[in-house]
Amino acid sequence: MTNNNNLTSNRLRLAIQKSGRLSEDSIKLLKDCGIELRNVKDRLRTEAENFPLEIFFLRDDDIPQYVEDGVADIGFVGENVLYEKNKKVAVVEKLGFGKCRLSIGINKSDEYAGLSYLQGKKIATSYPVLVNKFLQENNIQSEIHEISGSVEIAPGIGLADAIVDLVSSGSTLFMNGLKEVETVLNSQAILIKNNHLSAENQLLLNKLLFRIQSVRKAKNNKYILLNAPNEKLAEIVALLPGMKSPTVVPLATEGWSSVHSVLNENEFWDIIEQLKNAGAQGILVIPIEKMIL
Ligand code: ATP
Ligand code: ZN
């Protein structure tokens, strides 16, 4: 007896963060792609139930190295970590989660008139490579103090004049008496791959990538249903893009139709407004689970 599992004994090895801000979203993305993992708690590795995928749970800082060395074939990691580590791997796809920015913070009460503020100052950061590059590009000479955590307290305890750290809402900076004055890098989680992936593994990656892209497209789009009086139909249909064109079906009530379409999140609110103005009624908006074009 043969089955698919025996035929494809080859597995793609994926490195994700063991515990931290990227962990939950990494596992959720796999789940949304229909990939089930067992026993993810307290494990260093596990195998997917229904996809030839093996998962390694690592510190995020180690993921670029593992992928460069080919110990893992692919990894999910923040752009901030990848560009700080400077490893030779290929970026395959942005994943849309783990969004943050690497920003410069200074004392709230200090005047900030531009980057020259940093000239000759001490900067505390866990990102010396990215900060050095940024300072060089802007012709600023500062003293960089590399520290591995709690960077935001450095100015308060007299260790530095400014910090460069990851920010999402900015509340941590604010709570430590700092203000954000400049962005060094915008970051999100990305999928990276080893530069020498075998042909077999590239095929598996293509399969996984197809699923990831379908899930991400679906998230950015909504299914919309509405009722339209027939005399307004042409105007309403013209407002809707749809995957090919909107579906129009007659309602049981004479003179009315139901219109179905797909809308992108970015244009969503604008178009809803216009649809209402054009006479659309009973507008329903439904999430899409997967979207394959
Ligand atoms: P590890 O133990 O794996 O080294 P860590 O403490 O370095 O974990 P986390 O704080 O869990 O890392 O952050 C992991 C990644 O999450 C960051 O490198 C960054 O890409 C992303 N991230 C998103 N938002 C934020 C934020 N507000 N602060 C810090 N990191 C963020
Ligand atoms: Zn880390």
Side-chain angles (χ1 to χ4, degrees), residues 116-184:
S116 59
Y117 172 93
L118 295 172
Q119 186 66 39
K121 297 249 166 70
K122 285 190 217 157
I123 303 176
T125 187
S126 310
Y127 294 87
V129 172
L130 286 172
V131 173
N132 246 319
K133 186 164 161 267
F134 180 80
L135 292 175
Q136 264 177 26
E137 280 167 6
N138 289 286
N139 265 319
I140 306 279
Q141 279 78 39
S142 316
E143 211 181 289
I144 296 180
H145 285 246
E146 184 179 353
I147 46 181
S148 60
S150 307
V151 172
E152 62 283 352
I153 65 163
I157 58 174
L159 186 71
D161 307 300
I163 66 161
V164 179
D165 203 8
L166 293 177
V167 179
S168 43
S169 70
S171 61
T172 311
L173 285 188
F174 189 80
M175 272 163 22
N176 285 281
L178 303 172
K179 62 179 174 190
E180 188 179 350
V181 292
E182 208 89 47
T183 302
V184 173

Side-chain angles (χ1 to χ4, degrees), residues 58-65 77 81 85:
L58 302 169
R59 283 202 58 193
D60 66 343
D61 313 67
D62 296 333
I63 291 174
Q65 181 78 62
V77 72
V81 170
K85 300 291 173 189

Side-chain angles (χ1 to χ4, degrees), residues 8-286:
T8 54
S9 59
N10 188 50
R11 266 192 210 100
L12 197 63
R13 294 156 305 163
L14 163 67
I16 65 174
Q17 191 186 21
K18 178 165 170 46
S19 69
R21 292 175 197 261
L22 301 180
S23 308
E24 214 174 283
D25 286 336
S26 299
I27 290 169
K28 165 105 180 9
L29 176 60
L30 293 174
K31 203 169 178 201
D32 290 345
C33 290
I35 297 170
E36 296 290 336
L37 308 180
R38 315 165 259 209
N39 306 329
V40 290
K41 279 225 160 66
D42 305 320
R43 294 284 296 269
L44 297 179
R45 63 202 280 182
T46 190
E47 277 164 29
E49 304 251 355
N50 50 4
F51 194 90
L53 189 70
E54 186 169 2
I55 320 283
F56 297 158
F57 299 96
L58 302 169
R59 283 202 58 193
D60 66 343
D61 313 67
D62 296 333
I63 291 174
Q65 181 78 62
Y66 272 74
V67 173
E68 181 185 277
D69 293 346
V71 176
D73 301 301
I74 59 172
F76 294 169
V77 72
E79 289 173 292
N80 55 308
V81 170
L82 177 66
Y83 298 132
E84 179 67 23
K85 300 291 173 189
N86 238 332
K87 299 293 172 196
K88 293 188 196 69
V89 298
V91 173
V92 180
E93 184 85 1
K94 296 201 185 225
L95 297 175
F97 61 86
K99 287 191 176 160
C100 58
R101 52 197 189 276
L102 188 64
S103 284
I104 302 175
I106 66 167
N107 275 320
K108 231 185 270 176
S109 53
D110 279 10
E111 283 286 324
Y112 182 78
L115 282 174
S116 59
Y117 172 93
L118 295 172
Q119 186 66 39
K121 297 249 166 70
K122 285 190 217 157
I123 303 176
T125 187
S126 310
Y127 294 87
V129 172
L130 286 172
V131 173
N132 246 319
K133 186 164 161 267
F134 180 80
L135 292 175
Q136 264 177 26
E137 280 167 6
N138 289 286
N139 265 319
I140 306 279
Q141 279 78 39
S142 316
E143 211 181 289
I144 296 180
H145 285 246
E146 184 179 353
I147 46 181
S148 60
S150 307
V151 172
E152 62 283 352
I153 65 163
I157 58 174
L159 186 71
D161 307 300
I163 66 161
V164 179
D165 203 8
L166 293 177
V167 179
S168 43
S169 70
S171 61
T172 311
L173 285 188
F174 189 80
M175 272 163 22
N176 285 281
L178 303 172
K179 62 179 174 190
E180 188 179 350
V181 292
E182 208 89 47
T183 302
V184 173
L185 176 82
N186 282 303
S187 178
Q188 63 174 286
I190 45 172
L191 167 56
I192 56 172
K193 71 166 184 176
N194 175 269
N195 277 335
H196 314 283
L197 217 56
S198 69
E200 244 178 338
N201 281 343
Q202 183 62 52
L203 282 178
L204 288 178
L205 174 56
N206 292 349
K207 272 191 175 180
L208 178 64
L209 197 58
F210 176 73
R211 294 193 189 189
I212 290 175
Q213 287 165 343
S214 305
V215 167
R216 293 214 50 220
K217 259 184 227 126
K219 270 200 191 113
N220 293 332
N221 287 278
K222 301 274 180 259
Y223 193 78
I224 175 170
L225 296 119
L226 59 86
N227 295 330
N230 286 347
E231 68 272 14
K232 294 282 190 171
L233 210 50
E235 190 183 339
I236 286 173
V237 165
L239 290 168
L240 291 166
M243 281 173 75
K244 275 217 164 39
S245 72
T247 308
V248 179
V249 281
L251 287 185
T253 311
E254 190 74 25
W256 282 78
S257 298
S258 169
V259 180
H260 304 198
S261 187
V262 173
L263 278 188
N264 188 283
E265 210 165 43
N266 299 325
E267 49 193 11
F268 184 78
W269 290 111
D270 266 357
I271 293 185
I272 294 281
E273 195 63 41
Q274 295 174 47
L275 288 170
K276 273 178 61 191
N277 293 339
Q281 293 182 9
I283 302 175
L284 294 181
V285 178
I286 300 167

